[in-house]
Amino acid sequence: MKELPQEFKDIYFVQDGIPYFKTFLAGEWVSSQEFQDIKSPIDLTTFSKVVKLNSQVIDNALDIMYKRGKWDIRDTPGEKRIAIFQRTAELLERYKDYFIDILVLNNGKTRAAAEGEVRAAAERLKLAELDVRKIYGDYVPGDWSNESIEAEAIVKREPLGIVLAITPFNYPLFDVANKLVYSTIAGNAIIIKPASSTPIIAILFAKLLEMAGFPKRSISIITLPGNQMDKLVSDPRISVISFTGSTESGKEVIRSGGIKQYVMELGGGDPALVLSDADPEQTAPKITVGITSYSGQRCDSIKFIFAEEEVYDKLKDFLISELKKVKVGDPRDGSVTMGPLIDERTAEEVEYSVKDAINKGGKVLYGGNRNKNYIEPTLIEIEKDKLKDLYLYNKEVFASIAIFTKVKGIDEMIELSNSRRYGLDAAIFGEDINKIRKLTRMLEVGAIYINDYPKHGIGYFPFGGRKDSGVGREGIGYTIESVTAYKTIVYNYKGRGVWEYM
C-alpha cells in the first residue's frame, strides 16, 4: 500500500515492512501488544495489521463516552457539526488517493468502484444539512381539548445517547460516513465497529474527523471480531444499534441487544421482473451491472430474473452476450471490470450453489468457473416449479450469481418474489403502466426501481427492507427517527391570565 502522508504518522507504525494500525477510542489513539492480520482478497496475503482490543479497554472507552462524550457532541451546536462534516469531506477529497488505494487493496474493488465510493462518502457528508429537516419538532396548542385548555406543548426530538454502528465489509467507507452523519447530526455519540476484514478505512476516516475538529470523546472505532460483540451489543449504555450485514447476524444482534432502537439493513438478493414489452437489448446491460457490480457483493445485487414468455429467449441471448464482456481479474489492472470475492469461503458457497441448482434441474447458461476467490459471473436457468427448492432461493449468496426463470405473467412474478423470506428491493423492466402499477402495489419490498437495476447510492432515496431484509430505513433525513426519541414538554398556564376563553 502507499505510504501515508505525514498527517497520519501517529496512527500506525511499520515493522518488517508491514504497517501496524492503532485505533481511536474516545479521544485517544490506542495500541496494544496484540494485532490481527488484514489480508487482501487480491492475493490473500497479509498487507497490514490492526490492533486487537480487549473487553476492558472497550469498556473504559464506553464509560468515557457515556459520561462525557455523549454530552460533548450534544453540546456542539448543530451549525458547528455541519461545518465539521464539510471539513471532513474536504479532507477526504484531499487524501482521496490513499483511501482509493486501500479500497482496492483491502476490498478488491476496481479503481473506478473505489473512486465512486470515496465520492459518495464525501457527498454524504456535504448533504448532512438535509438530515436536519427531520430533527425539528411540533407545537401542540391545548385548546382543542377541555382537558388541556390553558396549556400548550412542545414535542421535540432529542438524541438517545450512543449509537453502535456495525458496518459491513463491502462499503467500509461509505457505510461509516453514512451512519456517522445521521447519528451525530442528531447529537448522538457513535461507536463504529467495522468489519474485521476491512477495518483500516474506518481508522483513517477517524483521523480525518479528528483533523476536522469532531468532538474527540464522542467517537470510537472498535476493532473486535464479530463473535466477541455480545457484551457490547447488550450493554445498556448503548441506546441504538445501526447494523448492516447478513440476516443471520442481524437476528443475533437483536437477540443480544434487547430493548433498544434498531436500524437493520440485512440480507437481500433482488428480483428483476422483465415484462413482455421490455426492450431486451436495453434491459440486459442494466441487469448485468446489477448482477456483477462489486462482484455481486451487494445486498441490492440482482439474484433473480423473472421474464415473461414473449421476451424470455431474446433476453437470454443478450444477457449471455453482456456477461461475456465482464473481465474478471486483479482489480489493479485497468481493463478488469470485476475483481475477487472477499474470501475463498464465499467462492466455495457459490460452487455449492451451482451444484445444488444443477442437481435440482438447473442449467448453467454462463460462468461458474473458479480460481481461488475469483469466480466468473454465473447465470443459471431453471423452471419455475423447481425454483423454491434451490439453496439460492432460500439463502442470500453474496456473489455474482443469478437465476433466470420464465413466467407466464406478473401474478407468477409476484408469487415467486414474495415467497422468499427477503424483501429488500425489486427492479421492473417494461412499459405497461398497468402491470407496473400492480407490481409496485403487490411486491413486498422496501424499494422498487423502474427500468433500472437496484442501487442505494448515497441514500438520497431511502432504502431498507421488509421481512428478513431489515428494520427501519437508511437515507438522508429518513433515519433520524430511529436515532432520536420524542420528548413532550407541557406548559400549564391555568389561572395565569394568558388566555381568556369565551
Side-chain angles (χ1 to χ4, degrees):
M1 59 179 289
K2 289 181 181 178
E3 182 178 355
L4 293 167
Q6 185 64 37
E7 293 87 339
F8 293 82
K9 293 299 184 182
D10 60 333
I11 72 172
Y12 75 103
F13 61 90
V14 178
Q15 187 173 308
D16 297 325
I18 294 179
Y20 286 63
F21 284 88
K22 306 174 187 178
T23 195
F24 193 74
L25 297 179
E28 300 291 338
W29 287 101
V30 176
S31 188
S32 77
Q33 297 299 312
E34 195 172 1
F35 285 78
Q36 55 195 25
D37 292 349
I38 304 300
K39 296 184 177 182
S40 171
I42 294 174
D43 55 12
L44 302 176
T45 60
T46 298
F47 75 95
S48 65
K49 293 177 182 284
V50 170
V51 63
K52 190 173 183 180
L53 301 173
N54 60 54
S55 58
Q56 185 58 56
V57 171
I58 293 172
D59 188 72
N60 291 342
L62 177 55
D63 197 51
I64 292 170
M65 294 182 70
Y66 185 74
K67 291 177 179 176
R68 305 176 75 175
K70 71 176 185 179
W71 293 105
D72 289 349
I73 184 67
R74 189 168 175 179
D75 291 340
T76 302
E79 181 185 27
K80 288 187 177 180
R81 287 179 229 153
I82 292 290
I84 290 169
F85 295 144
Q86 296 295 325
R87 286 197 294 271
T88 305
E90 292 167 4
L91 289 167
L92 180 56
E93 290 168 340
R94 181 188 305 172
Y95 298 111
K96 66 179 182 179
D97 287 343
Y98 301 96
F99 282 80
I100 290 168
D101 180 56
I102 290 173
L103 286 169
V104 172
L105 194 59
N106 197 184
N107 281 79
K109 296 197 172 194
T110 63
R111 184 170 181 84
E115 287 178 343
E117 184 170 354
V118 172
R119 282 196 305 270
E123 186 175 3
R124 182 66 184 97
L125 289 160
K126 293 176 182 178
L127 293 179
E129 284 189 46
L130 296 182
D131 292 87
V132 176
R133 61 190 176 183
K134 290 294 182 75
I135 301 176
Y136 302 150
D138 296 301
Y139 165 76
V140 184
D143 61 345
W144 295 97
S145 167
N146 186 59
E147 176 197 36
S148 57
I149 202 158
E150 290 195 82
E152 61 185 356
I154 294 173
V155 183
K156 61 181 291 188
R157 283 195 171 276
E158 63 181 34
L160 283 160
I162 299 177
V163 175
L164 172 59
I166 304 174
T167 60
F169 79 86
N170 55 347
Y171 290 93
L173 175 60
F174 177 77
D175 276 327
V176 166
N178 184 41
K179 292 181 189 297
L180 174 109
V181 169
Y182 66 64
S183 298
T184 62
I185 193 66
N188 295 290
I190 187 169
I191 296 174
I192 296 168
K193 192 281 176 196
S196 297
S197 58
T198 58
I200 296 173
I201 212 86
I203 294 169
L204 295 185
F205 188 72
K207 181 60 180 178
L208 297 188
L209 290 169
E210 182 187 39
M211 293 165 66
F214 193 89
K216 293 184 178 183
R217 294 180 297 199
S218 303
I219 184 170
S220 290
I221 310 294
I222 304 296
T223 51
L224 190 70
N227 59 14
Q228 298 178 27
M229 284 290 292
D230 280 0
K231 182 179 179 182
L232 182 60
V233 164
S234 62
D235 196 297
R237 291 170 290 183
I238 301 291
S239 300
V240 185
I241 297 179
S242 176
F243 174 89
T244 301
S246 72
T247 296
E248 290 72 24
S249 296
K251 288 180 177 179
E252 287 298 320
V253 167
I254 292 174
R255 273 193 285 267
S256 298
I259 301 175
K260 301 182 192 296
Q261 290 192 196
Y262 294 93
V263 185
M264 310 292 285
E265 214 248 304
L266 306 178
D270 295 341
L273 315 179
V274 185
L275 305 181
S276 58
D277 62 354
D279 182 336
E281 187 173 7
Q282 292 184 5
T283 299
K286 293 177 181 177
I287 291 178
T288 300
V289 174
I291 295 170
T292 62
S293 178
Y294 189 39
S295 306
Q297 298 175 121
R298 298 162 49 113
C299 55
D300 56 2
S301 177
I302 291 176
K303 295 290 188 285
F304 300 91
I305 306 153
F306 303 136
E308 291 192 296
E309 295 175 335
E310 297 86 344
V311 74
Y312 185 84
D313 289 332
K314 286 186 178 180
L315 180 63
K316 181 198 297 189
D317 292 340
F318 280 115
L319 281 172
I320 293 170
S321 176
E322 289 297 322
L323 287 169
K324 288 179 178 178
K325 298 175 184 177
V326 177
K327 183 177 179 180
V328 180
D330 188 326
R332 293 170 295 189
D333 180 343
S335 66
V336 165
T337 53
M338 193 173 108
L341 296 174
I342 195 68
D343 54 35
E344 288 192 278
R345 180 179 55 81
T346 306
E348 290 166 359
E349 187 179 24
V350 174
E351 283 190 318
Y352 172 83
S353 302
V354 173
K355 291 176 183 177
D356 174 76
I358 292 172
N359 290 337
K360 293 171 181 173
K363 176 185 177 183
V364 177
L365 297 177
Y366 182 80
N369 296 311
R370 174 192 167 200
N371 178 18
K372 294 183 179 178
N373 58 322
Y374 290 81
I375 196 160
E376 291 175 327
T378 305
L379 184 66
I380 300 173
E381 182 178 50
I382 197 164
E383 295 177 7
K384 58 179 178 286
D385 59 344
K386 299 175 181 177
L387 178 65
K388 294 182 182 179
D389 294 331
L390 299 186
Y391 180 85
L392 284 161
Y393 188 83
N394 296 288
K395 175 91 164 49
E396 180 190 29
V397 177
F398 222 47
S400 181
I401 182 167
I403 297 294
F404 191 39
T405 299
K406 183 188 297 184
V407 297
K408 288 184 177 179
I410 64 171
D411 288 338
E412 289 186 351
M413 290 178 174
I414 293 166
E415 197 275 329
L416 291 173
S417 298
N418 288 350
S419 293
R420 291 189 79 225
R421 64 190 179 106
Y422 303 105
L424 187 58
D425 314 296
I428 301 170
F429 295 90
E431 302 299 330
D432 189 325
I433 190 62
N434 295 312
K435 286 183 177 181
I436 293 171
R437 182 64 184 87
K438 183 175 181 179
L439 286 168
T440 60
R441 180 173 183 264
M442 301 297 292
L443 290 171
E444 296 170 350
V445 296
I448 297 173
Y449 297 78
I450 312 297
N451 290 316
D452 204 356
Y453 63 92
K455 45 188 172 183
H456 296 163
I458 62 168
Y460 189 80
F461 302 127
F463 60 90
R466 292 169 59 174
K467 301 185 288 187
D468 275 7
S469 286
V471 178
R473 290 291 178 272
E474 291 203 72
I476 299 174
Y478 285 88
T479 321
I480 295 297
E481 296 171 359
S482 298
V483 298
T484 57
Y486 279 119
K487 179 178 281 184
T488 303
I489 304 165
V490 181
Y491 295 87
N492 177 23
Y493 297 99
K494 192 172 289 291
R496 304 290 181 94
V498 177
W499 286 281
E500 295 181 7
Y501 289 108
M502 301 294 290

